[in-house]
Amino acid sequence: MTMNFFRGVMGGQPAGPPPTGAETIHKLCDRVASSTLLEDRRDAVRALKSLSKKYRFEVGTQAMDHLVHILQTDRSDSEILGYALDTLYNIICNDEEEEQDMAAAPPIPVSGKHKNVPVSDENAQKQEEDLGVLFTDKFLGDSENVTLLLTLLEEFDFHVRWPGVKLLTALLKNQCNQVQGVILVSPMGVSRLMDLLADSREVIRNDGLLLLQQLTKGNAAIQKIVAFENAFERLLDIITEEGSSDGGIVVEDCLLLLVNLLKNNSSNQNFFKEGSYIQRMKPWFEVGDDNSGWSAQKVTNLHLMLQLVRVMVSPVNSPGATSSCQKSMYQCGLLQQLCTILMATGVPADILTETINTVSEVIRGSQINQDYFASVNAPSNPPRPAIVVLLMSMVNERQPFVLRCAVLYCFQCFLYKNQKGQGEIVATLLPSTIDANSISAGQLLCGGLFSADSLSNWCAAVALAHALQDNLTQKEQLLRVQLATSLGKPPVSLLQQCTNILSQGDKINRRGSKVQTRVGLLMLLCTWISNCPIAVTHFLHNQENVPFLTGQISENLGEDERLVQGLCALLLGICIYFNDNSLENYTKEKLKQLIEKRIGKENFVEKLGFVTKHELYSRAAQKPQPVFPSPEQMLFDHEFTKLVKELEGVITKAVHKTSEEEKKEEEVKKTLEQHDSIVIQYKDLIRDQDSQIQELREQVSTLSLNSEQMQNQITQQQSQIQQHKDQYNILKLKLAKDSQGLSSSQGEGAHVNGLHSEELSQLREQVDELRRQHTLQHTQLSDKDSLINTLRCEAAAAQTAEGGAGGSDNTELLREVESLRSRVQAQCAEISQLQTERQELIRRGEAASSAPASSSESSADTDKVSELESRLAAQTTETERLKEECLGLREGRAGLEQQLASAQSTVAIEQTEKTKLQQEVQESKKEQDDLLMLLADQDQKILTLKQRLKDLGETIDEDEEDELDARDHFGEDDDDEEEEDEENND
């Protein structure tokens, strides 16, 4: 049938010309569109797939719509879906492999027939790319096609999922933005693609990585969605499973995807840091002692890992995010691991270079990281600081250029916002700290500054300039450095030696070979004397410096020397702008007159503009890392471009200003300084008033707390007074009864009662006095509360020196509170005295009731009290006994509850065992039923065979029949036993 199909398509006539490719494809497309049988359509699509590489244009133009229709309608057949997806991939993809295949094939027909026109390789490649874009645009004409493709990716069948992944990747390569837009608005579109990473088939997972790489390029929204779909966790797991840096191409793909997700995406970077994923990067950089024989893949993987670290701490990130990542890298030991690679032996040169760049950005601007890096020593004998070892590479002209640039960047990052490190570097140049037995950083910089290699001159000058950046103290300290030029000659200062080399180099060679050296020295001098009037004075004190600068600026030199002229103009402008007029011959005004006479102001400003107009200036201003294609283009430093941008405008204004304008400006500066001093005074006054107000607020809060405590004490005293009143009333009633019972007693009893009456009257008076005192204190407290509230209002509104008066009011308030506290204490003492008198009165009453001259009623009362006391003792004993019984009952109840719980657990266990036994019995019964069925079938077969034997005339022994009967009987006995067992179990 298949042969008949191909004959029908290709033409079955034995004679005649063969059909062209376009005609064959047209017939196949008709068969795909018109066939009702799935098998016919499948064969036609398979044939289109086989022709799609050779006849890419014809298949793309004629069959694409039919293939899309197949994807929509024949979803139930995975084989035809796979053929259709493969065909679409072949006509859309522009991979190199496909291009090689097409180069080996005949030329692409422009129309329906082949035209053998020779085409160059470049034109063929461009034509292939144009075809891929053309067919991609056609496929994306309906956005539902992409949605359909995303739906097909949910199919688990390998023959559908894999070509679907490849097709979507090809679409993203050709029209990335358009496909990203469709996927972004598609429900669960990104989530479906993330599921590819969890596929157990490595081929699909790996192609899924390539797909996500294309998907996340340049789209921050998709990058965020992918990150929040747990991409970091999955990718790091894959990297670990594949062997980290020792892994293969899959590790490289994972790292490329991670770089896409994190680069220039602050949200994902923060998510990566907060998820503690930085800590998981540390094991990547664990290298052994033997680092020989690194594979190319390992070098690539480690290079990408270092790049990933740099993405997290890049200078273009926000300072807060960079600082946080730097701190995490130090805390987890990642920086220490990188420094280990830095000092290891046998590491490939490109990995060492990238490691230096990575360490540079990890320590840049982070004081704790910079301090740690300063403490790192190289494994040498004797140990040397890592900074010294790196500087030795930087000033060594035999080292690779990229390595020297990396060391310079590392040194710059070490000194960035690190005044402590700047001081340590400059200190190695000072006479008091120079150690003749060891090589220091300062010695290496001076050696590089004055060596014969111009690149070493430039690097050393820039490095030394970074040791002075924004640090006035070190600029002044560096003026103390003295250099011994030759035997028998006095030493010269470092500043003077730099200017000497400038002037001598200009006289010896103006052909441009030393332009790099002169540019480096001029950048060093500009950085050194800017914002430092003392350094300007030292520079101008040499009588040869100003004539040299004016001579350089005024000459008309070639293109190569224009940059030097511009830098000389900048240096002279700095001498004007930061001049403190301490030298009579070189004041601001005289220098400006000199410029006007010998150079001309307009010419000076024009030469000054040569610096910013240079083509390499804008390149250096873009990012801090010194990246240059060749050593000759290494002219500008990033930090120096900032200085030029800051000073160019102010120097231009300073040169054009007249003396009168300068005087006015000086007056304005003095006025501003006076205003500033006044503002500072007011700020100090406001600061003092704020502190006074804060103190007053604290005092008010303390007084309020004391007032509340006193109020609580008064409340307690009131409750105590009320208790005393109640006790007094009870005592009064008891004394009244005693006085009635003792009316006929002797004169001693009357004397006692009279005494009691007098004491009771005294107690009444004392209670009344306490009430009056309480009322008075309550009134006083109300007055103090109002005073405190007034003081709070005054404290909140206090903005002037009225705090003194408030302080005196506070002092008075404190004195009054102390007086109130003493009154309260006196009142407590009076209450204690009242309690003592009450106890004395009770004691006297008891003594009076126990007198021998008491009456018979008193005796009766005593008996009654004794009886009540005995009853009370009996009740107390009974209560104790009942408590003991209750405690025993509780213990018994707890024991019973424990036994009950144990019994319930035992019942549950037995019930479980019973259920298991019943299940086993049921299974056993089922097995026996099956055996019985088998035996019955076997007996039936035996009987049938016996009958057939009898029919055939064969005789059967009676022993065999008895054995069969016994077997049947045995089966019946087994059934009876099973029934009895079931009854027993029930």
Side-chain angles (χ1 to χ4, degrees), residues 33 143 178 193 233 262 310 418 424 440 484 556 635 663 671 692 708 712 733 755 813 882 886 968 981:
S143 60
Q178 192 173 352
L193 301 180
E233 185 77 27
L262 292 172
R310 294 185 65 184
N418 183 11
E424 292 173 352
S440 66
N556 293 321
L635 292 178
K663 289 180 181 178
T671 306
Q692 292 176 3
E708 291 177 359
N712 293 334
L733 294 174
L755 180 61
L813 181 59
L882 291 174
C886 183
D968 294 338
D981 290 339

Side-chain angles (χ1 to χ4, degrees), residues 368-415:
I368 185 172
N369 291 6
Q370 290 166 340
D371 292 343
Y372 171 77
F373 184 70
S375 67
V376 175
N377 288 323
S380 60
N381 190 17
R384 289 176 177 172
I387 297 174
V388 173
V389 176
L390 291 175
L391 287 177
M392 292 171 69
S393 301
M394 185 186 75
V395 298
N396 187 352
E397 56 184 314
R398 289 175 295 181
Q399 293 292 338
F401 173 64
V402 289
L403 178 63
R404 300 174 73 181
C405 291
V407 174
L408 175 61
Y409 184 45
C410 185
F411 191 74
Q412 293 173 349
C413 292
F414 169 67
L415 297 178

Side-chain angles (χ1 to χ4, degrees), residues 43-57:
D43 292 337
V45 175
R46 185 191 297 118
L48 286 172
K49 175 191 171 184
S50 63
L51 296 173
S52 59
K53 291 183 179 181
K54 186 175 181 180
Y55 300 101
R56 181 181 179 189
F57 179 78

